[in-house]
């Protein structure tokens, strides 16, 4: 199984790389985790319910102020330092840096010039919110450096605006909220209308969460995502409600029309999130797993967002089955590639991880990776480690 780098080791690597590239030690640092959504997908932009947790994979930033007003940034992804203001044709990650810097400045957090270096062990393009982690980590570092706190909700909205206005991704608010506001050892029930967050204890004594990456990047994800958002809006208009959160219970007459199938997914998914929250509170793991299975079926059948790779991976998990410890499994995040999430019996986690990889490769020819995750706290500023050579 893939193993994660512990946060202190990642921070240390980041501080060393900063020192090597800028020839001075960092004076600021921040960490933000990735996230996995346990249940409740394509509900957040319909003012619905989601139940994510932050995972023990992080993005680390080490930084130091500059005497001019320039922003120079480098990342392990690109390996070189770029001047951000000049980087419109530069790699995608620089867009997130530019957006977060501009919007925090607009919000009154004025930092002046900055040198920064980024390291991450969150797989990119896999649906584990590496871009939201980057924005939230940087916003957190800027809060710490300026002494001005935005607060979790405002920081999440600001980072969502970076996606909308700079990366042109019309995402909801789930990823940024869990990454900013997660509590260790809990999953978060998030009401995307009231923005009330409820933390539900979720430890790994009896069950583990496994992430299985299809190895297929979410190439079609952005066009399909925007199309589904538009279909949900059309469905709400047809049903005469302001958002699908207020849609009535589906009836037989809803049939197979596309907007009403989308609505049926959202309405039933909101109910599943609520039932899942009760199930994990009661430590009723078979019930929680069954709801995850139903969620995947709904995302596949009514929302048409799973795609062949995810469906093959879920089939492999189902073939291993409950008797071998797979309690439930589903796609997670935007869909169309990316990752699946499995709820498994703790004592069977290693065996399941070892069995699912060859089964999936045999079925698809793709290489998957599987790793366990645990619920960690949200983004925080950190003391930069002291570098001793
Ligand atoms: C992506 C978006 C989220 C959410 C999920 C689907 O991860 O960034 O806002 O809409 O897809 O649940």
């Amino acid at each position: 199984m893939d193993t994660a780098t512990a946060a202190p080791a990642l921070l240390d690597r980041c501080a060393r790389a900063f020192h090597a590239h800028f020839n001075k030690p960092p004076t600021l640092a921040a960490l933000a985790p990735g996230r996995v959504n346990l249940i409740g997908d394509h509900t957040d932009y319909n003012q619905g319910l989601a139940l994510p947790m932050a995972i023990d994979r992080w993005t680390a930033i080490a930084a130091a102020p500059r005497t001019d007003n320039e922003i120079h940034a480098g990342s392990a992804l690109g390996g070189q330092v770029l001047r951000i203001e000049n980087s419109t044709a530069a790699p995608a990650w620089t867009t997130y840096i530019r957006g977060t810097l501009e919007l925090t400045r607009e919000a009154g957090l004025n930092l002046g010039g900055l040198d920064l270096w980024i390291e991450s062990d969150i797989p990119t393009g896999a649906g584990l919110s590496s871009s939201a982690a980057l924005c939230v980590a940087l916003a957190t570092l800027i809060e710490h450096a300026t002494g001005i706190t935005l607060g979790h909700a405002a920081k999440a909205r600001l980072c969502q605006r970076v996606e909308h206005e700079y990366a042109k991704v019309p995402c909801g608010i789930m990823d940024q909220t869990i990454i900013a506001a997660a509590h260790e050892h809990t999953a978060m029930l998030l009401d995307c209308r009231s923005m009330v967050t409820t933390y539900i204890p979720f430890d790994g004594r009896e069950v583990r969460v496994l992430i299985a990456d299809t190895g297929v990047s979410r190439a079609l994800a952005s066009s399909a995502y925007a199309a589904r958002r538009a279909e949900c809006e059309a469905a709400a208009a047809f049903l005469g409600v302001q958002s699908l959160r207020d849609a009535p219970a589906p009836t037989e007459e809803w049939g197979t029309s596309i907007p009403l199938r989308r609505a049926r997914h959202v309405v039933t998914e909101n109910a599943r999130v609520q039932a899942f929250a009760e199930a994990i509170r009661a430590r009723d793991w078979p019930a929680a797993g069954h709801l995850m299975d139903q969620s995947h079926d709904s995302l596949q059948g009514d929302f048409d967002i799973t795609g062949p790779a995810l469906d093959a991976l879920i089939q492999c998990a189902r073939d291993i089955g409950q008797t071998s410890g797979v309690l439930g499994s589903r796609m997670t995040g935007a869909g169309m590639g990316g990752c699946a999430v499995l709820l498994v019996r703790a004592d069977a986690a290693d065996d399941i991880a070892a069995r699912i990889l060859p089964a999936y490769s045999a079925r698809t020819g793709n290489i998957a990776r599987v790793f366990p995750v645990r619920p960690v706290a949200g983004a925080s500023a950190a003391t930069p480690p002291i570098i001793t050579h």
Side-chain angles (χ1 to χ4, degrees):
M1 255 193 286
D2 246 36
T3 44
T5 320
L10 188 73
L11 256 185
D12 194 63
R13 191 163 92 205
C14 191
R16 281 174 193 284
F18 181 94
H19 198 280
H21 284 87
F22 294 104
N23 209 20
K24 60 183 179 185
T27 56
L28 299 161
L31 273 173
R35 70 95 187 90
V36 67
N37 191 22
L38 295 171
I39 195 163
D41 273 312
H42 293 275
T43 45
D44 62 351
Y45 55 81
N46 289 302
Q47 298 193 7
L49 305 173
L51 211 147
M53 69 182 219
I55 60 174
D56 52 336
R57 297 269 171 156
W58 288 274
T59 291
I61 305 183
R66 291 175 62 90
T67 46
D68 56 22
N69 265 330
E70 296 177 6
I71 307 294
H72 293 216
S75 131
L77 278 181
Q80 93 213 70
V81 173
L82 300 163
R83 182 160 166 216
I84 295 297
E85 296 89 331
N86 294 345
S87 67
T88 40
W93 61 265
T94 59
T95 307
Y96 295 103
I97 302 287
R98 200 153 40 84
T100 309
L101 284 161
E102 284 180 12
L103 294 185
T104 46
R105 210 172 279 151
E106 186 187 292
L109 282 68
N110 212 332
L111 198 60
L114 200 63
D115 286 326
L116 55 102
W117 186 263
I118 302 150
E119 295 271 334
S120 183
D121 68 352
I122 307 171
T124 53
L128 300 175
S129 292
S130 59
S131 62
L134 176 56
C135 296
V136 176
L138 183 55
T140 303
L141 185 133
I142 295 170
E143 283 182 311
H144 181 66
T146 56
I148 303 173
T149 304
L150 292 163
H152 295 328
K155 186 160 59 177
R157 275 196 307 275
L158 185 147
C159 294
Q160 182 194 30
R161 280 183 61 202
V162 177
E163 297 277 1
H164 289 186
E165 296 169 26
Y166 292 81
K168 309 292 179 205
V169 175
C171 66
I173 193 70
M174 165 175 69
D175 307 341
Q176 296 78 5
T177 305
I178 182 70
I179 289 170
H183 289 182
E184 203 181 4
H185 306 306
T186 69
M188 174 195 277
L189 170 60
L190 171 62
D191 183 328
C192 300
R193 176 152 66 188
S194 65
M195 289 312 290
V196 169
T197 52
T198 310
Y199 297 91
I200 307 175
F202 189 60
D203 62 46
R205 264 180 293 156
E206 294 146 341
V207 290
R208 298 289 294 272
V209 175
L210 292 181
I211 289 180
D213 184 349
T214 57
V216 174
S217 85
R218 303 166 305 135
L220 286 174
S222 55
S223 56
Y225 190 90
R228 293 299 173 278
R229 276 200 80 141
E231 288 160 1
C232 287
E233 277 160 29
F238 178 80
L239 292 166
V241 290
Q242 190 248 329
S243 82
L244 289 181
R245 177 66 180 269
D246 296 319
T251 64
E252 295 269 310
E253 276 125 58
W254 281 23
T256 54
S257 93
I258 286 188
L260 290 177
R261 280 168 53 219
R262 307 303 186 235
R264 183 161 56 216
H265 165 69
V266 174
V267 173
T268 57
E269 186 81 345
N270 283 336
R272 280 186 291 271
V273 174
Q274 233 144 11
F276 185 90
E278 290 317 312
I280 63 172
R281 259 194 201 108
R283 308 175 88 81
D284 183 349
W285 308 119
H290 184 57
L291 289 157
M292 291 171 76
D293 290 341
Q294 289 181 328
S295 169
H296 186 83
D297 292 344
S298 177
L299 286 154
Q300 179 184 31
D302 276 337
F303 218 72
D304 294 317
I305 201 73
T306 53
L310 277 165
D311 288 337
L313 190 53
I314 295 302
Q315 195 50 54
C316 294
R318 290 182 181 178
D319 289 348
I320 295 172
Q322 267 209 339
T323 47
S324 299
V326 178
L327 296 155
S329 59
R330 59 186 292 280
M331 62 149 262
T332 183
M336 293 285 177
C339 289
V341 57
L342 281 67
L343 184 70
V344 304
R345 256 189 8 238
D347 62 359
D350 290 343
D351 179 56
I352 291 164
R355 285 171 67 185
I356 201 164
L357 287 175
Y360 174 72
S361 293
R363 202 179 260 271
T364 62
N366 297 331
I367 308 288
R369 62 182 150 178
V370 180
F371 51 95
V373 288
R374 62 183 177 83
V376 301
S380 59
T383 308
I386 305 208
I387 305 177
T388 49
H389 290 280

